Amino acid sequence: MADISYRERLAQLVEPGEQVLAVAKTEIAQGVLPSDPPQQEQAVATGTGGVSGVLLNLLSPLVSFPAGDRIVDRLTHGVAGRGAPGSAASTLQHARRPVPPATTLTDTILAVTDQRLLVCASGPVKLWSSQADDARALADTRVVWSTPRATVADARVGWHRLNPKRLRIEFVDGSWLAFTVPIAEPGTPLREIASALSGR
């Protein structure tokens, strides 16, 4: 998969007069995430599974119990976000969660403009892509979630376990969500997002 530059495409997606300040290709960090928005929570199976559910989660990733998933995520990856159902972090992470069964890969792109924080999804991307594949992924990029800059309380990049490049975005409703890039990729785009949001 080639490195696709999304800045030009995002300039086409924003409102007239809105200026793109920073762009980063990223992914929501692994770990325990905020609660689902209220309407999605009701659609999730309510079986807890108890201790046996946690053990089954560890033994087979195909067996899934919500309580077991959260415990395994907490132990292996920590906490990647917090927020009540319907909070900013809750709706953001739900907007980027693939709908099962996920049969394609897409990039998550964060963008900060002079007015909003945008979360975008690319078109389908391939591990081994041609220029035509990359052009399609870029052309199909769309905004899946946005919020005014005033709803962001803070943003900063720091260490989490062994990863020195984890962006944490905090919202004024008290919720927060973390984003990462692969260890081998530079953290500069995440630091630019944090700087554009926090003014530091």
Side-chain angles (χ1 to χ4, degrees):
M1 179 173 65
D3 187 23
I4 302 172
S5 175
Y6 289 100
R7 185 177 285 272
E8 199 172 298
R9 172 65 178 143
L10 291 175
Q12 299 167 355
L13 295 175
V14 298
E15 300 295 327
E18 192 173 8
Q19 182 183 4
V20 177
L21 304 176
V23 175
K25 185 176 84 171
T26 184
E27 58 192 38
I28 294 175
Q30 292 183 323
V32 177
L33 294 170
S35 301
D36 283 335
Q39 64 273 21
Q40 281 74 29
E41 272 193 335
Q42 294 169 2
V44 174
T46 56
T48 58
V51 174
S52 61
V54 173
L55 292 174
L56 283 171
N57 278 77
L58 288 169
L59 295 174
S60 174
L62 299 177
V63 177
S64 178
F65 295 97
D69 289 343
R70 290 181 71 81
I71 291 171
V72 171
D73 283 348
R74 180 180 281 278
L75 290 174
T76 56
H77 302 291
V79 177
R82 290 203 193 278
S87 64
S90 167
T91 57
L92 189 164
Q93 67 95 12
H94 185 75
R96 277 307 297 136
R97 184 172 45 215
V99 177
T103 57
T104 59
L105 296 172
T106 59
D107 288 337
T108 297
I109 304 100
L110 290 181
V112 179
T113 73
D114 53 352
Q115 300 171 31
R116 298 180 290 165
L117 167 64
L118 306 173
V119 179
C120 303
S122 73
V125 294
K126 296 180 180 178
L127 191 56
W128 306 106
S129 62
S130 66
Q131 285 185 337
D133 294 331
D134 293 344
R136 268 193 301 279
L138 190 60
D140 292 343
T141 299
R142 66 208 181 284
V143 176
V144 294
W145 187 88
S146 71
T147 190
R149 292 273 303 268
T151 64
V152 177
D154 194 20
R156 62 186 178 279
V157 175
W159 278 86
H160 176 74
R161 298 193 178 184
L162 297 176
N163 189 345
K165 302 171 289 194
R166 186 162 119 147
L167 169 66
R168 177 175 163 147
I169 300 177
E170 299 176 2
F171 298 96
V172 294
D173 63 7
S175 66
W176 64 273
L177 196 61
F179 296 85
T180 60
V181 293
I183 293 291
E185 292 187 15
T188 305
L190 293 183
R191 285 189 280 278
E192 289 173 353
I193 293 284
S195 177
L197 285 170
S198 66
R200 291 193 296 266

